[in-house]
C-alpha cells in the first residue's frame, strides 16, 4: 500500500521560502523533512510527518519545474506556466543565484570548465557543501560567465540586465566572471587566508579602474579585460626604481612626511627601497599574462609579507601608501603621473583590503 | 453568409529548438477553420518569430462558428522531410458570438502538444463579424449566453427563469476506432481533443436553440459532462437552466446595491422588513418536512417503474391567463394560494421542473423539502446511430421522471440544485441524479404577468421561511419529528434538513459551518455483464444507506442540524464500490437543537463492557461540546415546545437513522415504533457499529484558523480579504489485494483526512482562512487504485471584523485605533473581540439592527478597510505585500486592455488571472462576463520517469491546464475565472512501459472584475472605457 501519486497545484504557485532554501542547499527530501521537523514544523497547523513529507516532495518538485526557467531569469516574468507575483519571482531568482562564499572562494580564478566541475566533489567535502548545491553554484557561475563574456558594456549592468539580480549579487558575479576570465591565481597556500569578499573587493577595483570600460564610457567597450595600453604604459614606471636619484628623492620625501607619524618608521626606512621596488616591478611585469595571474600572490609575497613580519599596523600601512603614492607628484623628473595614480589607487586599496591575518 | 471570422498571427516566443544543428527553429503557422486552411510565411532561424501575418478571413455559417474551434498549428519547416508539428492552439470563438461578451481575442496563448506539453507561446488576434440572421428555422443559436455559475450572474437580473434544458450528443471515440492502431498517439489524442471540441460546440448550439425556443436568452448553471464509455462511444451531455437575463446598468446600480461581491452581506437586508417573521408565503396547512433520500435501482437494462406509485397526477388548477397583476407583496392569503397554484401549473407544464441553480434571487425559493436522488445501473451497448442517441436519452429520462415523482411525494413541485453524473467501469455505468425538492415562487416564471417593478418590491422571506415544511403534516411520507419553527413559531419545521443547494443568503444561522464527509468502501466480486450490474444494483442501497447514517452521525457530533451542498458520489471499480458524500453542516436557527448521540450496549451485565461504553459515551459527549465551541454554536435558550414527548429516555433505543435511505413505503412503518426522542442512540452490539463510532471519532477537527465548507460561502464569515488561492490536489493510492471492508474504509477515510490535513498545512500562510467549495471527486482508475481529486479555493478573512455586534463601541474604537500607534491598535482589537464574542449574531433582531444603518455600516467598513491594512502590517509582512500586489493588478477594463496590448509586444510581465470555483471574487465587483471557458486536454507521455514519475507528469499537466485557462481568459480581456471546476481528471498509467496518459476537462466563466476599493475612484473612467470599447466592437 502506498501513495502512488500526490500533487498539489495552486493557481498562484505556492512557494515556501524555507523549503526553497533546503532545496537550494541540495538536501534530499528525507533530509529536508528531518531538518524541518527539527525546526519545529510539526507544531504548525497540527501537521504530522506524512503531511510534511508530502509537502516537501511537492515543493521540491515545484522548484525543479521552475529551475529551467530560473536558468534564464528573463523568461520568468513572461512565462505562463507558473503564476508567481513579481516580488516572489525576484526572491526565487535572487536565491537561486546566491552562492556560498566558501564555495566561490574555492572556484575563484579557476577555469569554469568540465575539468573544474569534476573537482566539485573535493570542494564539496572540503567546504561541507552538498555536491548538488556545488553543481548548481558552479553551473550558475558558468552560465553567467558564458552570457556576459562576449557582451559589450559595463559588466555589472550586463549581469543585472540578463539575470535580474540585485546590485550586490551582480557585483559578486562580476568579480567571479572577472577572475575566471583573467584566471588570477588564488589557490596558493599563501593566499588561503584571503576570503572571497577580499578578492571580490579587489576585482571591483580592477574592473572600475584598470579595464577599458573604466576610462572610456563608450558602450562598445568591454569590462572583462584589463586595458592593454595601460598595462603597457606601466613599464614606464620602472624609472622610479631604476633611476637611483629618483628613488632616493622619493624615499626622502616619504620619510619626511611620515617621521613621527608611524610606529614602524625605522623599519620602513630600512625596507623602503625593497618595497618600492616590489610594487614597481609588479607593475612593469603586468604586460605578461602569466604575471597578471600572479598579481595577488606577488602582492602578498613581495609586499604584504615583509610588512607583516615588521609588524606594521593597518594604520601605518595606510599612511605609508598614501604618502608613497602622493609624493611621486613632487618628483619633477617623473612624467607618468596619471598612470601612476591609476596604478597606485587600485594597488593601495587592494593591499589595504588584503592586509589582515 | 452569416459570419466572417478573421485571424491574424502576430508572433511567437519561447519556441522549442527544432533543429539540433543550429539550435533554432524555422517556424510557420497553419490557421484552420472548418475545411479552410491558411498558412503564414516561414520565419527562419528564430525561437521568437515575428510573423505579423495578414488577416486570414473565413466566411462561414454561424452554425459552424458555434461548433468549430479555430485551430492554429505551429510547425517547423523542413526542406527535405515532413514538417514537424510544434504544437496546437484551439480557440473557442463562442465568446465572440455574443454581443455582450468579448469582442476580440488577443494575446499570448500557450502552444500545446499532447506529448510534450506547452512548447512556447503564440500571439494571435481573432475577431468575428456577425451578420444578423432572421431565419426562423436557423440551426444556430448565436447570442445565447452561457454561464457555469449556478446562480444569477452578478451583473444580471433574472427577468424570467424558464427552466430545465438538456441535451446529449454521442460519437465514436477516436481512441477506439480501427485507425487508432496505425496512427501515432499524438494523432489519436488530437483527433479526440478536436472531436470533443466539436461535440461540445454542437451541444452548446443545440441547447441554445432550446433556450431560444423557450423564449430565453441565457443558460445559467450550465453543466457539461463527458462519458468516456470506451468501446461503445463518447457521450457529451449537458444540463442547465434557461433564463431571460437583463443586464443591470453597470454603475448607477452599484449605488443602490452596495456590494454584490460578498453574498453574505446581502443577508442583512431581509431582516430589515418589519414584516419579518411569518409572512404567509405558503397556503394550506403547514406541513412537516425532513431530510429525505429516495433511491431506486433498476437492475441492469430493464427499467422498473417502481417509483410510479408516487407519480400521481396533482390536480391542476386551470391556469389564469391574466396573472396576478398588482402588488404581489401585499397580497392576502387566497391570492397567494392562487399564485402558488399558478406556479404549480406553470411548472406542471414543463416536462422537468428542474433547476440547476444552487442559489436564487431573493424570494424565489419558498420552501425546501429535502434531497431527492435516483440512481440506476446500466449495461453499455454500442450506440448504433449517433444521430439518434435514443438509449442514452431514455436512460436519463427514466431517472428524471423518478426524481420528479420523488419531489411530488415531498409535496414539492420543483427540484433545485439539480445535477447529474455517471460512473463507468468496463461496460457497467451508474447514472445518478440528485437535487432538492422545493417550492418556488411564481414571480420569475410568469410570462409578463407582473411588472418588473413589483417583482422586486415583493417582500423577501425571512430567514426561516425556506425551512418550513412544504408537505402535509398528516401525510408525511417518512418519519419526521416536527416542531414549530424556532424563529417565527408559526410553522412546522423538521428536526434535520438535507439539501443540495447553497445556504440561502437570508438564512438565519447560528455559529459557523463545516465540511462533513461520509466515506465508504465496499468490496464486490469480479463479475461480467448482467451479473456485474445486478451485483452493483444490490450493493447500492446499502452503500447509500450507510453513507446517510454516517452523515447523520457526523452532523450530530458537530451539534448541527442541516446540510447544504450535499453531493453523493458513487464510483464503481472492478472489485469495489466507493461512496463519498460531502456537504456543509450548519446550525439553522429555525430548526431544533440536535440531540446528542447515545451509545447503548446489548449486554449490560458485563461491567468492563459497561465501562467501555461509558468511556465511549464520554468521548462522544466531549467531542460534541468541543465541536460546538469550535464552530461557535451556542443557540439562544428557548422554551422547549416540541410536539409530543421530547424528553429523551436513556434506555429508549432507536435505529431511526438507519432507516433514512430506505424507500418511502418502508419508512413510514418503521417510524411508528419509535416515537419521538431527542438523542440518537447508537447500538454497539455489532462490529459495524463499533466501527461506525471509531470512524466518527477519527475525523480530526480543522486546525486553528481554518474553516472549511463545500458551499459558496461560510456562514458567519463576511470580511474576506482579496487574497484567494484556488488549487487542485490529486492523490492516487495503491491498495493491497484482499482487504476487508473495514480495512478499505479506514484507508479511504485516512486518505481523505490526510489530504485535508495536507491542504491545511500547505495553506497555513493564509490563516485565518476558509477553504470554500471543497469539491472532492473519487475514482477507481484501475483495480487496487483509489484516486481522489480536490479543487477548492482558500480565502483569507479578517478575524477582527467578523464581530458585527461589537460595533456600537466598535466604530469609536476603530477610529481611535487608526490614529493610535500599532501596539495600541492591537490592544484595541483584542478588546473589541472580547466585548463582542459573547453575543454572536444569533437573533434576527440583531441582524436587522445592523442592516438598518447601512450608511453607518459603510462608514465603518471603510475604516475597517484601513484598519485591515494596518493589522496586516503588524502581523505578517507577507500578507501586506500580497494585498498591495492585488491592488497593483490591472483592473478596469479599459486600462487593462491597453496595458495588455502594450505588453504583448514589449513582452514584459504577464497579467494576473484569478481563478475560483465560487461565483464571486471577494472584495471585487464583476463588471462583465466574457463567455464560458470549456476546455478539454489530453496529455500523454512515453518517458514517464524522465518527467519525474507520475507525480511530476500530472503536476506539470495541471499547471499547464491552469496556464492555458489563464491565457485564454486574458486573451478575451478578462482577469478572472469564476465558477471554475475540473469536471474530469482521468489518469491512466503504465509504469512498466514508462507511459502515462491523462485527460482533463475544465470549465468556468471568464469575467472582468474590479476591486471594490478602486471602484469609486475609477467608476467614471471605466464607464467611458466600456462605452468606448463597445463602440470599438461595433466598428470592427
Amino acid at each position: 500500500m502506498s501513495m502512488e501519486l500526490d500533487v498539489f497545484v495552486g493557481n498562484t504557485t505556492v512557494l515556501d521560502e524555507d523549503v526553497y532554501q533546503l532545496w537550494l542547499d541540495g538536501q534530499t527530501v528525507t533530509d529536508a523533512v528531518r531538518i524541518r521537523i527539527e525546526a519545529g514544523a510539526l507544531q504548525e497547523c497540527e501537521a504530522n510527518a506524512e503531511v510534511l513529507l508530502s509537502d516537501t516532495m511537492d515543493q521540491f518538485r515545484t522548484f525543479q519545474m521552475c529551475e529551467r526557467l530560473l536558468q534564464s531569469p528573463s523568461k520568468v516574468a513572461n512565462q505562463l506556466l507558473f503564476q508567481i507575483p513579481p516580488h516572489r519571482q525576484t526572491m526565487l531568482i535572487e536565491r537561486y543565484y546566491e552562492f556560498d562564499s566558501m564555495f566561490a572562494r574555492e572556484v575563484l580564478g579557476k577555469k569554469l570548465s568540465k575539468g573544474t566541475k569534476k573537482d566539485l566533489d573535493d570542494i564539496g567535502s572540503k567546504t561541507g557543501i552538498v555536491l548538488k548545491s556545488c553543481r548548481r553554484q558552479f553551473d550558475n557561475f558558468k552560465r553567467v560567465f558564458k552570457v556576459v563574456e562576449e557582451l559589450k558594456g559595463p559588466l555589472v549592468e550586463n549581469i543585472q540586465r540578463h539575470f535580474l539580480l540585485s546590485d550586490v549579487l551582480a557585483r559578486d558575479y562580476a568579480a567571479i566572471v572577472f577572475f575566471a576570465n583573467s584566471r588570477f591565481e588564488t589557490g596558493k597556500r599563501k593566499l588561503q587566508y584571503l576570503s572571497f569578499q577580499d578578492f571580490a573587493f579587489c576585482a571591483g577595483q580592477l574592473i572600475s579602474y584598470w579595464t577599458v570600460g573604466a576610462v572610456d564610457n563608450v558602450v562598445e567597450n568591454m569590462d572583462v579585460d584589463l586595458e592593454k595600453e595601460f598595462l603597457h604604459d606601466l613599464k614606464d614606471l620602472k624609472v622610479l626604481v631604476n633611476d637611483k636619484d629618483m628613488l632616493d628623492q622619493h624615499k626622502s620625501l616619504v620619510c619626511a612626511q611620515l617621521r613621527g607619524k608611524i610606529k614602524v618608521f625605522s623599519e620602513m626606512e630600512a625596507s623602503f627601497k625593497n618595497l618600492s621596488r616590489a610594487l614597481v616591478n609588479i607593475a612593469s611585469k603586468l604586460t605578461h599574462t602569466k604575471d597578471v595571474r600572479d598579481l595577488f600572490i606577488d602582492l602578498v609575497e613581495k609586499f604584504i609579507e615583509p610588512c607583516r613580519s615588521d609588524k606594521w599596523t593597518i594604520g601605518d600601512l595606510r599612511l605609508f601608501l598614501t604618502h608613497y603614492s602622493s609624493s611621486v607628484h613632487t618628483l619633477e623628473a617623473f612624467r607618468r603621473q596619471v598612470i601612476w595614480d591609476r596604478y597606485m589607487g587600485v594597488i593601495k586599496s587592494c593591499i589595504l583590503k588584503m592586509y589582515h591575518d | 453568409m452569416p459570419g466572417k471570422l478573421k485571424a491574424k498571427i502576430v508572433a511567437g516566443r519561447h519556441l522549442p529548438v527544432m533543429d539540433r544543428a543550429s539550435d533554432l527553429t524555422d517556424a510557420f503557422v497553419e490557421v484552420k477553420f472548418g475545411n479552410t486552411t491558411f498558412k503564414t510565411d516561414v520565419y527562419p532561424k528564430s525561437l521568437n518569430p515575428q510573423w505579423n501575418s495578414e488577416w486570414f478571413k473565413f466566411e462561414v455559417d454561424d452554425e459552424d462558428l458555434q461548433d468549430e474551434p479555430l485551430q492554429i498549428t505551429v510547425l517547423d519547416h523542413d526542406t527535405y522531410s515532413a514538417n514537424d508539428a510544434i504544437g496546437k492552439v484551439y480557440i473557442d470563438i463562442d465568446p465572440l458570438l455574443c454581443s455582450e461578451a468579448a469582442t476580440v481575442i488577443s494575446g499570448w496563448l500557450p502552444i500545446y502538444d499532447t506529448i510534450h506539453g506547452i512548447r512556447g507561446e503564440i500571439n494571435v488576434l481573432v475577431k468575428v463579424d456577425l451578420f444578423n440572421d432572421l431565419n426562423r428555422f436557423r440551426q444556430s443559436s448565436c447570442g445565447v449566453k452561457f454561464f457555469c455559475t449556478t446562480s444569477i450572474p452578478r451583473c444580471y437580473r433574472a427577468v424570467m427563469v424558464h427552466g430545465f434544458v438538456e441535451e446529449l450528443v454521442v460519437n465514436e471515440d477516436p481512441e477506439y476506432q480501427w485507425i487508432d492502431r496505425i496512427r501515432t498517439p499524438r494523432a489519436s489524442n488530437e483527433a479526440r481533443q478536436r472531436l470533443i471540441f466539436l461535440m461540445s460546440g454542437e451541444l452548446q448550439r443545440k441547447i441554445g436553440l432550446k433556450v431560444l425556443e423557450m423564449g430565453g436568452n441565457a443558460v445559467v448553471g450550465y453543466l457539461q459532462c463527458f462519458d468516456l464509455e470506451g468501446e461503445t462511444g463518447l457521450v457529451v451531455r449537458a444540463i442547465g437552466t434557461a433564463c431571460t437575463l437583463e443586464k443591470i446598468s453597470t454603475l448607477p446600480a452599484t449605488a443602490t446595491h452596495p456590494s454584490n461581491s460578498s453574498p453574505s452581506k446581502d443577508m442583512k437586508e431581509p431582516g430589515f422588513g418589519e414584516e419579518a417573521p411569518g409572512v404567509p408565503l405558503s397556503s394550506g396547512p403547514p406541513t412537516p418536512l425532513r431530510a429525505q433520500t429516495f433511491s431506486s435501482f433498476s437492475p441492469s437494462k430493464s427499467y422498473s417503474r417502481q417509483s410510479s406509485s408516487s407519480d400521481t397526477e396533482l390536480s391542476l388548477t386551470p391556469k389564469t391567463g391574466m396573472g396576478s397583476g398588482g402588488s404581489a407583496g401585499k397580497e392576502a392569503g387566497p391570492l397567494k394560494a392562487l399564485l402558488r397554484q399558478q406556479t404549480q401549473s406553470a411548472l406542471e407544464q414543463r416536462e422537468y421542473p428542474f433547476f440547476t441553480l444552487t442559489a436564487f434571487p431573493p424570494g424565489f425559493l419558498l420552501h425546501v423539502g429535502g434531497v431527492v436522488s435516483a440512481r440506476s445501473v446500466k449495461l453499455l451497448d454500442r450506440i448504433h446511430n449517433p444521430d439518434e442517441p435514443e438509449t442514452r436519452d431514455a436512460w436519463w429520462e427514466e431517472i428524471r421522471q423518478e426524481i420528479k415523482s420523488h419531489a411530488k411525494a415531498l409535496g414539492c413541485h420543483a427540484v433545485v440544485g439539480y445535477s447529474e453524473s455517471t460512473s463507468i467501469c468496463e461496460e457497467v455505468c451508474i447514472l445518478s441524479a440528485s437535487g432538492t425538492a422545493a417550492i418556488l415562487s411564481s414571480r420569475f416564471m410568469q410570462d409578463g404577468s407582473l411588472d418588473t417593478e413589483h417583482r422586486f418590491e415583493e417582500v423577501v422571506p425571512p430567514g426561516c421561511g425556506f425551512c418550513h415544511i412544504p408537505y402535509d403534516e398528516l401525510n408525511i411520507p417518512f418519519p419526521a419529528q416536527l416542531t414549530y419553527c424556532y424563529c417565527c413559531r408559526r410553522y412546522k419545521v423538521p428536526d434535520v434538513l438535507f439539501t443540495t443547494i447553497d445556504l440561502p443568503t437570508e438564512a438565519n444561522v447560528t455559529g459557523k459551518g463545516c465540511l462533513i464527509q461520509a466515506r465508504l468502501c465496499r468490496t464486490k466480486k469480479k463479475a461480467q455483464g448482467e451479473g456485474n450490474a445486478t451485483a452493483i444494483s444490490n450493493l447500492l442501497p446499502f452503500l447509500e444507506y450507510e453513507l446517510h447514517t454516517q452523515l447523520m452521525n457526523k452532523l450530530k457530533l458537530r451539534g448541527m442540524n442541516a446540510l447544504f451542498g450535499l453531493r453523493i458520489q458513487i464510483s464503481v471499480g472492478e472489485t469495489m464500490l466507493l461512496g463519498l458524500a460531502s456537504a456543509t453542516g450548519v446550525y439553522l436557527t429555525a430548526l431544533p437543537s440536535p440531540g446528542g448521540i447515545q451509545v447503548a450496549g446489548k449486554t449490560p451485565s458485563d461491567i468492563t463492557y459497561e465501562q467501555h461504553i461509558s468511556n465511549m459515551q464520554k468521548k462522544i459527549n466531549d467531542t460534541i461540546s468541543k465541536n460546538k465551541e469550535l464552530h461557535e454554536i451556542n443557540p439562544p435558550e428557548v422554551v422547549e415546545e416540541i410536539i409530543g414527548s421530547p424528553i429523551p429516555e436513556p434506555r429508549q433505543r432507536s435505529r431511526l437513522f438507519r432507516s433514512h435511505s430506505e424507500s418511502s413505503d418502508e419508512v413510514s412503518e418503521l417510524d411508528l415504533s419509535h416515537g419521538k426522542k431527542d438523542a440518537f442512540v447508537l447500538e454497539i452490539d455489532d462490529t459495524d457499529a463499533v466501527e461506525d463510532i471509531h470512524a466518527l471519532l477519527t475525523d480530526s477537527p480543522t486546525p486553528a484558523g481554518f474553516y472549511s465548507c463545500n458551499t459558496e460561502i461560510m456562514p458567519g464569515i463576511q470580511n474576506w480579504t482579496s487574497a484567494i488561492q484556488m488549487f487542485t490536489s490529486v492523490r492516487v493510492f495503491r491498495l493491497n489485494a484482499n482487504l476487508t471492508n473495514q480495512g478499505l474504509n479506514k484507508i479511504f477515510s485516512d486518505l481523505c483526512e490526510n489530504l485535508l490535513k495536507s491542504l491545511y498545512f500547505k495553506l497555513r500562510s493564509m490563516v485565518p482562512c476558509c477553504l470554500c467549495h471543497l469539491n472532492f471527486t473519487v475514482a477507481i482508475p484501475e483495480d487496487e487504485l483509489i484516486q481522489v481529486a480536490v479543487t477548492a479555493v482558500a480565502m483569507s478573512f479578517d478575524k477582527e471584523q467578523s464581530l458585527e455586534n461589537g460595533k456600537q463601541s466598535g466604530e469609536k474604537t476603530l477610529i481611535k485605533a487608526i490614529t493610535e500607534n500599532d501596539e495600541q491598535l492591537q490592544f484595541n482589537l483584542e478588546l473589541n473581540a472580547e466585548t463582542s464574542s459573547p453575543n454572536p449574531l444569533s437573533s434576527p433582531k440583531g441582524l436587522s439592527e445592523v442592516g438598518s444603518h447601512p450608511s453607518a455600516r459603510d462608514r465603518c467598513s471603510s475604516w475597517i478597510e484601513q484598519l485591515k491594512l494596518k493589522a496586516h502590517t503588524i502581523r505578517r509582512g507577507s500578507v501586506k505585500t500580497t494585498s498591495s500586489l492585488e491592488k497593483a493588478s490591472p483592473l478596469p477594463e479599459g486600462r487593462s486592455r491597453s496595458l495588455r496590448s502594450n505588453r504583448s509586444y514589449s513582452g514584459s510581465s504577464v497579467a494576473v488571472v484569478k481563478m475560483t470555483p465560487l461565483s464571486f471574487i471577494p472584495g471585487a465587483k464583476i463588471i462583465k462576463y466574457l463567455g464560458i471557458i470549456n476546455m478539454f486536454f489530453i496529455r500523454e507521455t512515453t518517458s514517464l520517469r524522465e518527467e519525474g514519475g507520475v507525480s511530476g507528469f500530472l503536476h506539470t499537466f495541471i499547471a499547464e491546464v491552469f496556464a492555458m485557462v489563464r491565457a485564454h481568459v486574458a486573451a478575451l480581456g478578462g482577469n478572472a475565472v469564476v465558477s471554475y471546476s475540473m469536471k474530469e481528471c482521468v489518469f491512466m498509467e503504465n509504469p512498466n512501459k514508462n507511459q502515462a496518459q491523462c485527460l482533463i476537462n475544465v470549465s468556468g466563466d471568464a469575467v472582468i472584475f474590479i476591486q471594490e476599493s478602486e471602484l469609486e475612484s475609477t467608476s467614471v473612467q471605466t464607464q467611458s472605457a466600456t462605452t468606448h470599447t463597445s463602440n470599438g466592437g461595433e466598428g470592427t
Side-chain angles (χ1 to χ4, degrees), chain A residues 137-274:
Chain A
Q137 298 182 34
F138 184 79
D139 289 342
N140 282 344
F141 293 169
K142 213 168 118 182
R143 193 173 319 113
V144 174
F145 181 80
K146 278 207 153 174
V147 168
V148 300
E149 192 183 22
E150 300 295 320
L151 285 178
K152 314 276 185 200
L155 186 57
V156 178
E157 276 176 40
N158 279 340
I159 293 172
Q160 263 186 301
R161 196 169 61 243
H162 281 85
F163 292 92
L164 311 173
L165 302 178
S166 67
D167 189 56
V168 179
L169 195 54
R171 278 176 198 286
D172 283 350
Y173 268 95
I176 290 161
V177 169
F178 187 74
F179 266 70
N181 186 57
S182 305
R183 308 270 307 283
F184 288 104
E185 176 60 65
T186 63
K188 289 263 166 64
R189 207 178 43 81
K190 283 181 176 168
L191 293 176
Q192 284 308 308
Y193 78 99
L194 292 169
S195 72
F196 170 75
Q197 287 312 326
D198 295 336
F199 281 119
F201 173 84
C202 297
Q205 291 290 312
L206 294 173
I207 294 167
S208 307
Y209 300 104
W210 285 8
T211 57
V212 188
V215 271
D216 204 337
N217 258 338
V218 182
V219 189
E220 289 100 73
N221 290 327
M222 297 223 279
D223 249 0
V224 193
D225 295 309
L226 296 178
E227 189 188 342
K228 288 261 152 48
E229 211 176 316
F230 164 68
L231 296 180
H232 185 80
D233 290 346
L234 285 176
K235 282 198 161 158
D236 299 345
L237 301 182
K238 266 200 153 168
V239 70
L240 283 173
V241 286
N242 288 352
D243 186 325
K244 198 165 177 312
D245 287 347
M246 212 181 270
L247 184 60
D248 288 337
Q249 203 186 343
H250 191 187
K251 181 181 169 179
S252 58
L253 278 167
V254 173
C255 288
Q257 293 279 348
L258 292 179
R259 195 181 306 275
K261 285 189 185 151
I262 59 172
K263 274 186 237 142
V264 288
F265 184 77
S266 53
E267 290 90 334
M268 186 273 290
E269 205 171 16
S271 58
F272 179 88
K273 285 187 180 170
N274 280 336

Side-chain angles (χ1 to χ4, degrees), chain A residues 1-2 4-7 9 11-12 14 16 44 50 52 54-55 58 61-62 78 80-81 83 87, chain B residues 13-14 725-726 728-732 734 736 747 762 764 885 907-908 913 915 950-951 955 966 989:
Chain A
M1 276 185 285
S2 59
E4 187 98 353
L5 182 158
D6 178 7
V7 297
V9 190
N11 182 36
T12 305
V14 174
D16 184 316
E44 282 180 273
E50 212 176 312
L52 216 53
S54 149
D55 180 63
D58 187 71
R61 195 166 48 236
T62 307
N78 60 17
L80 302 177
L81 192 55
Q83 184 157 280
H87 72 284
Chain B
R13 67 179 185 197
H14 307 155
Q725 167 71 286
M726 190 282 294
T728 290
S729 184
V730 182
R731 285 189 179 187
V732 175
R734 185 172 287 282
N736 279 346
I747 288 168
K762 271 259 184 263
R764 63 195 185 283
L885 233 153
S908 63
V913 175
M915 288 164 79
V950 284
S951 294
H955 193 145
R966 286 193 303 256
E989 55 165 334

Side-chain angles (χ1 to χ4, degrees), chain B residues 110-122:
Chain B
I111 302 167
Y112 181 73
D113 177 68
T114 59
I115 306 292
H116 293 103
I118 291 178
R119 302 174 98 188
E121 292 121 37
I122 187 166

Side-chain angles (χ1 to χ4, degrees), chain B residues 652-671:
Chain B
Q652 196 176 19
R653 236 164 264 173
S654 144
R655 316 195 83 221
L656 179 81
F657 295 102
R658 303 241 150 187
S659 66
H660 257 259
S661 52
E662 242 83 301
S663 67
S664 51
D665 17 21
E666 294 166 59
V667 173
S668 31
E669 294 162 33
L670 273 164
D671 182 42

